[in-house]
Amino acid sequence: MFNKLALIGIGLIGSSIARATRLKGLAKTIAISTRKEETLEEARALGLGDTYTLDAAEAVRGADLVILCIPVGAYLPVMEAIRDALEPGAILSDVGSVKGQVMATLGPLVPKGVHFIPGHPIAGTEHSGPASGFPELFTGRWCVLTPAPGTDPVAIDRLTSFWGALGSNVECMDAAHHDLVLAITSHVPHLIAYNIVGTVADLEAATQSEVIKFSASGFRDFTRIAASDPVMWRDVFLTNRDAVLEMLGRFLEDLSQLQRAVRIGDGPGMEALFTRTRAIRRSIITAGQETAAADFGRPHGNASAVPEPVAEVLFREHGGGEDA
Amino acid sequence: MFNKLALIGIGLIGSSIARATRLKGLAKTIAISTRKEETLEEARALGLGDTYTLDAAEAVRGADLVILCIPVGAYLPVMEAIRDALEPGAILSDVGSVKGQVMATLGPLVPKGVHFIPGHPIAGTEHSGPASGFPELFTGRWCVLTPAPGTDPVAIDRLTSFWGALGSNVECMDAAHHDLVLAITSHVPHLIAYNIVGTVADLEAATQSEVIKFSASGFRDFTRIAASDPVMWRDVFLTNRDAVLEMLGRFLEDLSQLQRAVRIGDGPGMEALFTRTRAIRRSIITAGQETAAADFGRPHGNASAVPEPVAEVLFREHGGGEDA
C-alpha cells in the first residue's frame, strides 16, 4: 500500500501502528524517529521498524505516509524540522486527540503538494511507551479524519484504506465538531476522573490505606483513566480549552440539579436518571464498543489482598498526598 | 459453621452469598425469601437455597444467621415482618452500602438477645438479580462490620469468620466513619458517573450514534458504574445524604481549581496533578484490588463494530434522550 511509512513518536499509538502495519504488510519499509535515545533504542530492541533515527527529517525523507504520534504540544518544533524534507505527494497525518488546534498550527506550514489529513484513532489504553502497543488496538474502533475542504480525495481514500486495513471504521468530519464531541466523550470524562482521584487522595477524613482497600466500591474504575499519560493529557486540555470548558459547564449544570435532588431527597427523580443511564451502556455494548462481561471482565477470586500496614506503606511510596 | 442461613433478598449479593455458602459448606441449610414470586422462582430454578418462601418471617424462624440483601429503603417493612420471628442468639446482619441510617432505623427494633451486626461487603458488579451472582465475588475484597459498642464479641467473631470463609478481609469500624469513607470511594464516584452519562446522553451537539461510536475514548468506563442498580443507588443517596453532600462539596472545590487551570492554561499544574493520580492506580494494583492488565483486560481485536445507521436505531430503542 505505501512505500515508506515514517512514524514520528513511538509510544502506545505509534508502536501499535508499527506493529499492525508490519503484520498486515501495509508498507514496504517503516522508519521510526523519536526525540530520546533511550526510547529509540527500546523501539529498535522491539524490532518495531526498519530504520531508526533521532533525526525526524531523515525519517520523513522519501516517505509517502508520515504520521505524527507525539503529544500535540510537540508538533510545532517537529513540523519545523521536517517540512523541507517532506516528499511532494506524501500524506502527512497525526493521531492527536484534538484537531482544530492541530490544523491551525500545522496547516500554514504544510508544503505545497503534501496532503495534510489530520486524524484521530479513537483507541488507547492507560499505558505508555514503545512496549505498550499491540496490533489489535484499532480493530473495531473508529478513526476520525478532518481534512480541510479541497484536500485531494485520492489521498483521503488512501489514508482511509490504511486505517480500514488496521481494522478501523473511518469517518471524516469538520475539526471543530470533532473537538466538541470528543470534549464530552473523552476530554471531560478524563478531567473528571483526574479530579476525583486527586480529591480522594487528598482527604484527611479517610486514611490512604482505606481508600485503596475500598477502591473496589467504584473509585478504582476512575483510576484507570486517571493513570493516562500526563503530558498527552496536559496538551489536550491546553489545546481544546474552549470546547472542554463548554462541556464542563454542561456537566456542572446537570450536577447542580443532581446535587439538589440528593439534598431534597428526590427519590423518583434520581431513580429515573439512573434507569435511563443504565440503558446507555447496553447501547454501547450492542454497538460492539464495549464488552458485555460483568465488571469489564476483570478477574475475580484472587485472594491476594494485601494487609493494611503494607498497603499504607505502598501508598506513601507511590506518592499519594500533597507531600509527594 | 451455621445451622440455618436466612437470606432476605436474592439479587447479586444475596445470590453470591448463597453460592459461596453452599460451596464452602458454611451453613447446614439456606432459606431464601424475596418479595416477588418470579424472583423466588428464578432462585429456585437456580438451586440457590434449600427452602424458598415469600414470607420473610418463615425464612428467619430458626435461623442463626440472617442477612438482609435488599435495597436499604426496604429494610423497615422487612424488619417489622421478621422481628418477632428472630431466634434469640441469632446474628442479624445486612450488606447495605450505607451503615449509619441502617443502624438508626433497625437498631431500636432488634429484639433483646439478637445480635445486630450491620455489614457491608465492598464488592459487586453492575449486574442485578439472582442469576448474576457467583461465589468468588467476595474473594480478596474487604467487608466492613459496624456493630454498636457493647455488641457480643463472640457473635462478631462468628460473623467475621463467615466473611473470612467467603474470602474477605474483615474490618470493624464506626458507622459514621464508614459512611464518610464510602461516600468518597463509592457514592460520589457513582453520582459523578450517573451525571456525566446523563449529560452526554442529552447533548444536542453530538448525535447519539457519535456518542456510542466514540465511547471507547473514555466515556464507556463511566457507563459501567452508571449501569448499576437504580433502586439500590437511589436508596444510597437518600440514606447517606449528608456525607455525600460533604464529599461532593470537596470534589467541586477541587474541580473549580482544575477548571481554572484549564481556563488559564496552567500546563505545569495540570501535568503535576495527572502525574500524581497515575501513581494511585499503581498502589491499588499492588494492593491486589485491581487488575494490572491494560484497559481492565478488556478484549481487543473484535471487529464487531456496528455501522452507524444501526447504532442510531439501537440508541433510540434503548431509551437514550429525554423522550425515552
Side-chain angles (χ1 to χ4, degrees):
Chain A
M1 192 177 293
F2 288 96
N3 275 325
K4 180 179 177 186
L5 165 65
L7 294 167
I8 312 301
I10 194 67
L12 168 70
I13 304 295
S15 64
S16 297
I17 294 175
R19 289 178 186 277
T21 298
R22 178 90 88 202
L23 194 71
K24 295 164 193 266
L26 302 178
K28 291 206 184 89
T29 178
I30 300 173
I32 289 172
S33 176
T34 188
R35 193 176 43 119
K36 288 192 200 158
E37 176 100 51
E38 55 180 298
T39 315
L40 197 66
E41 289 317 306
E42 196 179 346
R44 193 197 303 270
L46 291 163
L48 293 173
D50 300 297
T51 60
Y52 306 85
T53 173
L54 294 171
D55 181 349
E58 181 189 329
V60 311
R61 215 161 274 128
D64 44 352
L65 175 58
V66 176
I67 308 181
L68 306 185
C69 302
I70 49 181
V72 294
Y75 280 22
L76 196 49
V78 164
M79 187 62 182
E80 281 164 357
I82 67 171
R83 63 189 298 232
D84 293 335
L86 286 167
E87 202 72 13
I91 293 170
L92 172 67
S93 189
D94 76 321
V95 297
S97 301
V98 178
K99 300 270 55 82
Q101 181 96 321
V102 161
M103 295 184 72
T105 305
L106 298 190
L109 301 178
V110 177
K112 261 196 175 19
V114 170
H115 306 292
F116 180 42
I117 308 172
H120 177 202
I122 318 281
T125 75
E126 70 277 20
H127 292 177
S128 304
S132 64
F134 50 98
E136 303 82 5
L137 182 62
F138 311 108
T139 309
R141 301 268 89 86
W142 261 268
C143 181
V144 176
L145 303 181
T146 63
T151 304
D152 175 32
V154 172
I156 296 173
D157 276 351
R158 290 190 77 204
L159 188 60
T160 298
S161 300
F162 177 79
W163 279 106
L166 295 187
S168 291
N169 301 282
V170 176
E171 188 159 323
C172 283
M173 69 178 64
D174 166 73
H177 183 70
H178 165 279
D179 289 353
L180 200 64
V181 175
L182 270 296
I184 197 59
T185 60
S186 176
H187 307 163
V188 169
H190 278 75
L191 197 70
I192 298 308
Y194 280 124
N195 191 68
I196 200 163
V197 174
T199 301
V200 172
D202 288 347
L203 288 172
E204 70 288 348
T207 69
Q208 313 296 16
S209 70
E210 283 177 318
V211 159
I212 295 177
K213 287 187 307 196
F214 304 154
S215 57
S217 58
F219 176 62
R220 67 175 173 166
D221 285 18
F222 287 67
T223 64
R224 186 189 80 83
I225 291 180
S228 297
D229 191 281
V231 170
M232 173 198 151
W233 281 94
R234 173 202 71 189
D235 285 355
V236 165
F237 296 120
L238 287 174
T239 55
N240 200 23
R241 193 192 84 138
D242 294 350
V244 166
L245 291 175
E246 165 73 29
M247 289 303 162
L248 183 57
R250 309 288 190 98
F251 170 83
L252 288 168
E253 275 178 31
D254 290 346
L255 188 54
S256 212
Q257 285 196 294
L258 189 49
Q259 182 177 20
R260 184 172 185 277
V262 172
R263 190 176 61 70
I264 67 173
D266 177 14
M270 289 191 283
E271 189 181 346
L273 169 66
F274 302 164
T275 303
R276 189 153 67 83
T277 56
R278 197 173 218 191
I280 287 160
R281 182 160 183 81
R282 285 193 214 111
S283 302
I284 291 177
I285 292 168
T286 312
Q289 292 308 302
E290 176 60 293
T291 177
D295 203 26
F296 299 129
R298 270 183 291 216
H300 284 260
N302 303 319
S304 59
V306 174
E308 171 168 352
V310 186
E312 182 75 60
V313 169
L314 288 169
F315 192 86
R316 280 202 310 276
E317 282 174 353
H318 287 286
E322 300 275 26
D323 311 313
Chain B
M1 189 178 291
F2 288 95
N3 275 326
K4 179 179 177 186
L5 164 66
L7 293 167
I8 313 300
I10 193 67
L12 169 71
I13 303 298
S15 64
S16 296
I17 293 174
R19 290 178 185 277
T21 298
R22 179 90 89 202
L23 195 72
K24 295 163 193 265
L26 302 178
K28 290 205 184 90
T29 179
I30 299 174
I32 289 172
S33 177
T34 188
R35 193 175 43 118
K36 289 192 201 158
E37 175 100 52
E38 54 178 300
T39 315
L40 196 66
E41 289 316 308
E42 197 179 344
R44 191 196 304 269
L46 290 164
L48 293 172
D50 300 298
T51 60
Y52 305 85
T53 174
L54 293 171
D55 180 351
E58 181 190 330
V60 309
R61 214 160 276 128
D64 45 351
L65 175 59
V66 176
I67 308 181
L68 305 185
C69 302
I70 49 181
V72 294
Y75 281 21
L76 196 49
V78 164
M79 186 62 182
E80 282 163 354
I82 66 173
R83 63 189 298 232
D84 293 335
L86 287 167
E87 203 70 17
I91 293 170
L92 173 65
S93 189
D94 76 320
V95 297
S97 302
V98 179
K99 299 270 55 83
Q101 181 95 319
V102 161
M103 294 184 72
T105 305
L106 298 190
L109 302 177
V110 177
K112 265 199 173 19
V114 170
H115 306 292
F116 180 42
I117 308 171
H120 177 202
I122 317 280
T125 76
E126 68 277 20
H127 292 178
S128 304
S132 63
F134 49 98
E136 303 82 6
L137 182 63
F138 311 108
T139 310
R141 301 267 90 86
W142 261 268
C143 182
V144 176
L145 303 181
T146 63
T151 303
D152 176 29
V154 172
I156 297 174
D157 276 351
R158 290 189 77 205
L159 189 59
T160 299
S161 299
F162 177 78
W163 279 107
L166 294 187
S168 291
N169 301 282
V170 176
E171 188 160 322
C172 284
M173 69 178 65
D174 166 73
H177 184 70
H178 165 279
D179 288 353
L180 200 65
V181 176
L182 270 296
I184 197 59
T185 61
S186 176
H187 306 164
V188 170
H190 278 76
L191 197 69
I192 297 307
Y194 280 125
N195 191 68
I196 200 164
V197 175
T199 301
V200 172
D202 289 347
L203 287 172
E204 70 287 349
T207 69
Q208 314 298 15
S209 71
E210 282 176 320
V211 159
I212 295 175
K213 286 188 307 195
F214 304 154
S215 57
S217 58
F219 176 61
R220 67 177 173 165
D221 285 17
F222 287 67
T223 64
R224 187 188 79 82
I225 290 180
S228 299
D229 191 282
V231 171
M232 175 198 150
W233 282 95
R234 173 201 71 191
D235 285 356
V236 165
F237 295 120
L238 288 173
T239 54
N240 199 24
R241 193 193 84 141
D242 293 349
V244 166
L245 291 176
E246 165 74 29
M247 290 303 162
L248 183 58
R250 309 285 191 100
F251 170 83
L252 287 168
E253 276 177 32
D254 290 346
L255 187 55
S256 212
Q257 284 196 295
L258 189 48
Q259 183 178 20
R260 183 172 185 277
V262 172
R263 191 179 59 73
I264 67 172
D266 176 14
M270 289 191 283
E271 190 181 346
L273 169 66
F274 303 164
T275 303
R276 191 153 66 84
T277 56
R278 199 174 216 191
I280 287 159
R281 183 161 182 80
R282 282 191 216 114
S283 303
I284 292 177
I285 292 168
T286 312
Q289 293 309 301
E290 177 61 292
T291 176
D295 203 26
F296 299 128
R298 270 182 291 216
H300 283 259
N302 303 321
S304 60
V306 176
E308 172 170 351
V310 185
E312 181 76 59
V313 168
L314 288 167
F315 192 87
R316 282 202 310 276
E317 280 175 354
H318 287 286
E322 301 275 27
D323 311 313

